[in-house]
Amino acid sequence: MKIVLGGPPRSGKSCLRERLKTALRNRAGLYAYVLTLNPDGEGAWFQEAYQADSTLAVRLRAAHKEPWTDEHVPIYAEWVRECTHPLTLLDVGGRPDARNELICAAATHAILLAPDEAGFLPWREFCGKLRLPLLAEIRSDYDAAADSIDGVDAGGVLRGGVHYLERGRLDGERPAIDALADHIARLARN
């Protein structure tokens, strides 16, 4: 499974990615490989580094940030095509554009994270163009008091909400992320 993590900028995708990776390992014994497919300097290392030393992590991110150019596209697309890990999370950044369509052409599924319905719409269209089945649509509400789980609909899409996705904060229970990890584990084992 090559799962695109899509949603608008600053919706919490990188924080979700880190928590989901941990939940998959701890709850289901699954290792999720991460491909960071944008040159924003925030690789798979960033969340853990931020937790240990936020000032250093931010400085390293800034030092590794590159301008987005068309030259990145074939490299990232090859990474996705050639990846042979059974479970891979694809962190593509916040724009459902032609570049990301090329990069994600070999993806198999998608998880969408957005603060509201308007944030989901362009990503649903993106997934439709690529024929990516949705595994989940998760509302990101930074100020909510708790996560929510609406359940899996008839189309197999887990719906729910996650609260307070904050860099460096990997503690606390996250029922929506745990439910998402369980949902992915069931599909991965079938």
Side-chain angles (χ1 to χ4, degrees), residues 35-39 68 76-77 79-80 90-93 100 103-104:
L35 285 175
T36 304
L37 303 168
N38 58 71
W68 226 140
Y76 294 160
W79 290 358
V80 175
L90 309 174
D91 188 347
V92 298
N100 274 331
I103 290 167
C104 297

Side-chain angles (χ1 to χ4, degrees), residues 42-101:
E42 189 174 319
W45 58 272
F46 183 76
Q47 292 292 333
E48 190 174 338
Y50 190 93
Q51 194 169 15
D53 185 338
S54 61
T55 304
L56 177 61
V58 169
R59 195 170 15 154
L60 290 171
R61 178 183 182 207
H64 290 91
K65 185 173 183 159
E66 299 176 28
W68 226 140
T69 66
D70 288 337
E71 287 74 36
H72 290 100
V73 175
I75 295 166
Y76 294 160
E78 181 179 13
W79 290 358
V80 175
R81 265 192 325 275
E82 300 299 321
C83 185
T84 59
H85 293 277
L87 179 56
T88 304
L89 302 177
L90 309 174
D91 188 347
V92 298
R95 295 192 173 85
D97 57 16
R99 286 176 172 164
N100 274 331
E101 286 177 21

Side-chain angles (χ1 to χ4, degrees), residues 1 3-6 12-13 15-25 27-28 30 87 89 109-113 133-139 147-152 156-162 165 174-189:
M1 296 175 78
I3 305 171
V4 172
L5 298 177
K13 293 180 302 297
C15 294
L16 174 68
R17 177 195 74 205
E18 191 63 27
R19 284 183 164 273
L20 180 57
K21 185 174 89 169
T22 301
L24 285 163
R25 182 180 58 242
R27 294 178 66 81
L30 295 173
L87 179 56
L89 302 177
H109 297 83
I111 295 169
L112 303 183
L113 179 71
L134 287 179
L135 296 177
E137 284 191 357
I138 307 293
R139 291 176 316 281
D147 287 5
S148 63
I149 304 165
D150 302 336
V152 178
V157 179
L158 174 72
R159 298 186 190 282
V162 66
L165 289 174
R174 293 305 178 126
I177 296 173
D178 290 345
L180 179 56
D182 294 343
H183 183 56
I184 292 168
R186 278 190 299 277
L187 295 170
R189 291 189 173 117

